[in-house]
Amino acid sequence: MTVATMTPPVRTFAEFAPLAPELVVVFGAFALLMLDLFLSDRQRIVTQSLGIATLLVAALTVALGIGGQGEVMEGVFIRDTVSDVLKFTILVVAALAASYSWSYMRERGLYRGEMMVLMLFATVGMMLLVSAGNLTMLYLGLELLALCSYALVVTDRDSPQASEAGMKYFVLGSLASGLLLYGLSLVYGATGTLALDGIREAAASVSGEDHTLLLTGMVFVVVGVAFKFGAAPFHMWLPDTYHGAPTPITIFIGSAPKLAAFGMAFRLFEGGLGPMQEYWQLLVGVLAAASLAVGNVVALAQTNLKRMLAYSTVSHVGFLFLGIAGGGTDGFAAAMFYTISYAIMSAAAFGAIVMLSRQGFEADRIDDFRGLNARSPWMAFLVLITMASLAGVPPFLGFWAKVAVLRAVVEADMLWLAIVAIVFAVIGAFYYLRVIKVMYFDEPVGEPASPRRGTALRVVFTVNALALLVLGLAWSPVMDWCQQAFATL
């Protein structure tokens, strides 16, 4: 009997050209890993600066289209306009988050070279996630991001609070990964393929027991995605992790990964499970309503600013889910616009805490912002912009993001969801306005907190906060950019 042998396809370097941005970050991470061995603690600003430069060079590679768009390894990796928009934003936001970390981590003796390397590898995980055309690539990107994030949360190894946060993040993150993996295996069992376009094709014609199997797999996939987003009722890890991690790490894990999670949701829901839209649309809609209710109501009771922002993240995930539930070009474009807006707003909100903190003082209570206007009117104004944008006050960026997702969900004939969102948006505005009120109308309690004097950090925070005003006044190009990404749906 003759045994047939399979000849592996011949690969060329040109085939891997669309991976150029990922390769820039990977080579940068390995180079920094080696360079850091020869640097003292005081010289590690070199590692920090080169890490940020690597992210910005990779962003430039995406913006200039170096490597071109296309598929790698028969569609395992896809580089298209959607992935390019998300990657560019991920890289810029990751660079922004890294910029907040140097002075905070150095004065506490927490800065180590591997921190920047972990950030770079986590960014690669995000980039792979938004370019996944295959379930294997999707899971690989997700785990690369997750493992780096667990390590970053416990950067302060001597802190019981950070250790507890890291342990909860690891345990619940592993549970989420297990649920997602189980769902993906059921989807594979029902469709017989790992390729997302193959799953989409099979899902359109599957019937009988396979349909039940696919439906069950889809439910686990939605739950896994909700866990990763931090949507209610799967948000339990989020407040403790955000509170326990060093604030610059909270900025990183609370901003750019949301863009990657949106990319993952788009690839899975539209790219793979598109024919099952009537089912996942309802599930995502219910999760959106639950997130809006739980996030906004619990945030009202918080006195710690980091925990308040963590619960507000749950409510923002609810708004993001409105766009995904809407589906189609307008729905996904609105969700992408909201995710980009939220990533910038989140970085500014936690950046305000970094600006006021110093060694031995975290400035993470709302009371720490009392009377800030009397000590630093400019800093108070920047925090006002940030909180007003998060609350959805016009003309700031957050207002247009909310309008976009509300319009998408109304056009998808889910008026009930839009009404729920508006009601909880009004409730949610209260806790953001409370921060503004204590800055402008309350007297400081105890030793007043003053902004840092470092010029670089001041510039970073100023640019970050003013971007919310500038992009709010000129939001249309960003929205057009998002709509063009989904124009071929």
Side-chain angles (χ1 to χ4, degrees):
M1 186 175 66
T2 304
V3 178
T5 57
M6 293 181 63
T7 305
V10 177
R11 305 291 181 191
T12 62
F13 284 113
E15 185 185 350
F16 294 93
L19 277 161
E22 283 80 4
L23 293 175
V24 168
V25 183
V26 168
F27 286 133
F30 280 118
L32 285 184
L33 197 59
M34 296 302 296
L35 176 67
D36 188 68
L37 294 173
F38 304 97
L39 297 177
S40 65
D41 286 345
R42 296 187 64 180
Q43 294 172 324
R44 288 217 161 89
I45 193 170
V46 175
T47 309
Q48 175 77 3
S49 303
L50 290 177
I52 294 171
T54 300
L55 292 167
L56 293 178
V57 169
L60 194 62
T61 306
V62 176
L64 297 177
I66 295 174
Q69 295 182 347
E71 297 184 354
V72 178
M73 297 178 70
E74 289 80 39
V76 171
F77 177 93
I78 301 170
R79 183 174 172 188
D80 54 12
T81 309
V82 173
S83 65
D84 274 358
V85 172
L86 288 172
K87 280 180 200 175
F88 178 79
T89 318
I90 285 170
L91 289 161
V92 172
V93 172
L96 179 64
S99 302
Y100 279 113
S101 63
W102 171 251
S103 53
Y104 180 99
M105 303 299 274
R106 187 188 59 172
E107 70 187 14
R108 289 163 177 77
L110 298 176
Y111 193 87
R112 299 176 184 85
E114 55 265 34
M115 192 186 95
M116 194 67 233
V117 175
L118 285 169
M119 282 186 174
L120 291 178
F121 278 121
T123 306
V124 174
M126 295 182 226
M127 296 168 77
L128 295 179
L129 204 50
V130 302
S131 277
N134 179 292
L135 296 182
T136 308
M137 176 60 74
L138 189 139
Y139 200 72
L140 178 69
L142 184 65
E143 287 307 296
L144 182 56
L145 166 62
L147 291 173
C148 294
S149 300
Y150 301 149
L152 284 169
V153 168
V154 290
T155 301
D156 187 1
R157 287 174 291 191
D158 297 327
S159 165
Q161 197 176 38
S163 300
E164 182 184 346
M167 183 58 70
K168 286 182 178 176
Y169 193 21
F170 174 72
V171 172
L172 294 177
S174 300
L175 177 63
S177 296
L179 289 170
L180 183 63
L181 188 60
Y182 184 60
L184 297 180
S185 65
L186 293 181
V187 170
Y188 172 71
T191 59
T193 178
L194 292 172
L196 289 172
D197 55 353
I199 291 171
R200 184 184 176 91
E201 189 177 335
S205 58
V206 74
S207 60
E209 290 183 355
D210 284 344
H211 185 267
T212 305
L213 192 62
L214 183 60
L215 202 58
T216 308
M218 184 209 70
V219 172
F220 277 96
V221 167
V222 172
V223 170
V225 171
F227 248 118
K228 291 299 179 185
F229 266 111
F234 310 109
H235 64 285
M236 296 78 74
W237 60 273
L238 202 143
D240 290 334
T241 302
Y242 278 28
H243 187 203
T247 306
I249 302 301
T250 306
I251 296 174
F252 182 75
I253 64 173
S255 54
K258 292 291 182 289
L259 292 154
F262 167 73
M264 176 177 70
F266 169 70
R267 297 292 181 198
L268 281 172
F269 294 155
E270 177 62 28
L273 300 169
M276 311 284 287
Q277 182 173 351
E278 61 177 307
Y279 301 107
W280 59 254
Q281 190 177 43
L282 180 61
L283 284 175
V284 172
V286 171
L287 288 170
S291 301
L292 288 163
V294 172
N296 282 310
V297 171
V298 180
L300 286 173
Q302 303 304 312
T303 55
N304 183 284
L305 186 57
K306 284 176 80 174
R307 294 188 75 84
M308 187 199 88
L309 292 172
Y311 280 107
S312 84
T313 297
V314 178
S315 73
H316 284 286
V317 168
F319 273 104
L320 196 160
F321 274 13
L322 294 184
I324 296 176
T329 301
D330 291 339
F332 283 113
M336 179 188 275
F337 181 59
Y338 198 94
T339 316
I340 293 172
S341 304
Y342 175 71
I344 302 171
M345 291 189 291
S346 174
F350 288 106
I353 298 175
V354 173
M355 284 296 298
L356 289 183
S357 68
R358 56 183 178 272
Q359 190 170 10
F361 178 69
E362 287 302 314
D364 60 352
R365 300 175 305 156
I366 294 176
D367 282 347
D368 294 331
F369 284 70
R370 285 178 182 267
L372 180 62
N373 181 56
R375 302 189 301 280
S376 176
W378 179 244
M379 177 71 188
F381 174 67
L382 295 177
V383 178
L384 180 148
I385 290 175
T386 305
M387 293 299 154
S389 186
L390 284 165
V393 175
F396 302 107
L397 185 58
F399 170 75
W400 300 110
K402 283 184 169 60
V403 168
V405 293
L406 287 172
R407 187 171 62 181
V409 82
V410 169
E411 289 177 352
D413 295 328
M414 300 176 82
L415 185 61
W416 66 272
L417 196 50
I419 293 172
V420 169
I422 292 170
V423 169
F424 283 107
V426 174
I427 294 172
F430 174 79
Y431 53 81
Y432 294 120
L433 297 179
R434 185 174 58 180
V435 178
I436 296 173
K437 176 248 181 191
V438 302
M439 288 193 305
Y440 284 90
F441 300 106
D442 289 2
E443 293 296 324
V445 175
E447 186 181 355
S450 297
R452 289 172 180 275
R453 294 182 178 178
T455 306
L457 195 58
R458 279 173 175 267
V459 170
V460 169
F461 180 63
T462 301
V463 170
N464 191 175
L466 288 181
L468 302 175
L469 176 59
V470 174
L471 292 176
L473 295 172
W475 59 276
S476 185
V478 183
M479 189 66 204
D480 291 343
W481 196 34
C482 295
Q483 286 182 326
Q484 287 170 12
F486 297 100
T488 56
L489 285 182

